[in-house]
Each structure stands twice: as structure tokens, then as C-alpha cells.
Amino acid sequence: MSNLIKENRYLSGQNALSGREMPLTVSPYHFVTRQAIGNIPENREITYVGMGCFWGAERLFWQQDGVYTTSVGYSGGITPNPTYEEVCSGLTGHAEIVRVVFDPAQITYGQLLTLFWENHDPAQGMRQHGDIGTQYRSALYTVSPEQYAQALASQKQYQQAMNNSGDPRTITTEIHAAEPFYFAEDYHQQYLAKNPDGYCGLGGTGICYPSIPDGLIQQV
């Protein structure tokens, strides 16, 4: 999964692709959990994570107890309802993103953040290992002030853990409020369940996230 744009730069609105009004068609049910993608119970929460190629990242999260459903798509860019080919052109500005719907009574946002930091390299800029391009950037897109504060605090904690482990690099993870999320094509959804031998680009730094109680992390 390569990108045609080699420059590590964000896109301006002046040269972004125009996209389309109609969203891409996807299955209404999760291939693994069989939960309805569009029917989210009131006691569930949503967050959005970018860890490079979304295939392996989605599998990581759907395997967790307390995760209700997952979807992959594009967010953080300009072009409405982009196709995969358009995102790969570098002319939409989007990152490959996993939408995680979870039950906070079973798995906390802090636990999801631990999975996020430990299972990719957040200091690689516009790439993730061999996948190069702006769509592979590390990202946390939050849906509440509480998630945003916790995400920022967790970044500081993981930066300190990296430095303490002898890794001097600066984390490049993009953290901000969630923007429109556009579902990726249906064949991308739960890809590694449909293609068990498919490509998975996940690979962390080997540095553990510091163990901090969820109730304290916002105070860091």
C-alpha cells in the first residue's frame, strides 16, 4: 500500500480533489461481530484512531473485549466521500482511520490509548514503517473535551516513556477534535477477517505505555 505523493506535507484546499456527495456503500453489519454498523446503543462511545494501514489496526481493536464494533474509513482531510484511490493519490488530505465503538463499562478510553501507543510507531511523521504517505500518519481524533484532554496527556506520558527508553524522537501524532468520517469501500471493512493472510503493517516501538489509573491521566 504505497502513496504516489512522496512529499511529507498536508494538502491545501486549493488543490484537493472535489469528491462527491454520495457516500460509498458498505455492509450494514460488522463481518466479525455481526453488530449493526449504524445502530449504536446509547451506552456506547466512539473514538477514531490512525495507526498507518487501517487493516491491521482495525483487527487489533475488534479483538478487544468491550469493543462493540469497528469500521475503517478516511478522516482528517478535505475531500468529501473519497475513494481509496483518491486518498492514495495524496490529493484528499485524509488519514486512514479506524472508528472504534466501545462500551466504557468494559474497556476504558485509557485502555484504548494504551493499545494505540504500543502497537504502532507514533514518531514517523507521514509514514508507518514501509507505508509512506500522508494517509499513514499517526492520529487521534476525539469526540469530547474529556477524550481530547486524555489523549494529550497520554501523548506526554508516552513521549516521556520513549525518552526514558533512549528514543529521542518527537511524537508526531495528530490530535484534534474529530472531523467528518467517511467509510472506506466495503472490501476494506474487516479486511483481515475476510483475508486472514492479508497484509498487516502494525509494529510498535517495543516501549510500554506507563501504567496510570484512568482517573488520574487527565491530571498529568
Side-chain angles (χ1 to χ4, degrees), residues 78-89:
I78 299 171
T79 302
N81 297 301
T83 66
Y84 175 68
E85 289 73 18
E86 288 171 343
V87 171
C88 285
S89 76

Side-chain angles (χ1 to χ4, degrees), residues 108 110-111 150 157 209-220:
T108 65
Q111 290 171 310
Q150 196 165 347
Q157 290 293 330
Y209 182 80
S211 178
I212 301 173
D214 288 323
L216 297 180
I217 191 169
Q218 293 187 42
Q219 308 302 319
V220 174

Side-chain angles (χ1 to χ4, degrees), residues 90-167:
L91 297 176
T92 73
H94 294 289
E96 292 193 11
I97 294 295
V98 181
R99 186 185 78 155
V100 182
V101 181
F102 64 100
D103 182 349
Q106 296 186 53
I107 187 169
T108 65
Y109 184 57
Q111 290 171 310
L112 296 178
L113 288 172
T114 296
L115 291 168
F116 172 81
W117 295 115
E118 292 186 349
N119 286 278
H120 80 301
D121 187 338
Q124 290 195 339
M126 300 300 177
R127 67 181 300 164
Q128 193 61 207
H129 307 296
D131 296 325
I132 302 172
T134 57
Q135 81 264 35
Y136 298 117
R137 64 189 184 267
S138 174
L140 288 170
Y141 298 151
T142 62
V143 301
S144 68
E146 292 76 19
Q147 278 192 9
Y148 179 69
Q150 196 165 347
L152 288 178
S154 72
Q155 181 187 41
K156 293 179 181 178
Q157 290 293 330
Y158 198 68
Q159 182 70 72
Q160 188 63 55
M162 289 175 59
N163 295 158
N164 291 344
S165 298
D167 188 337

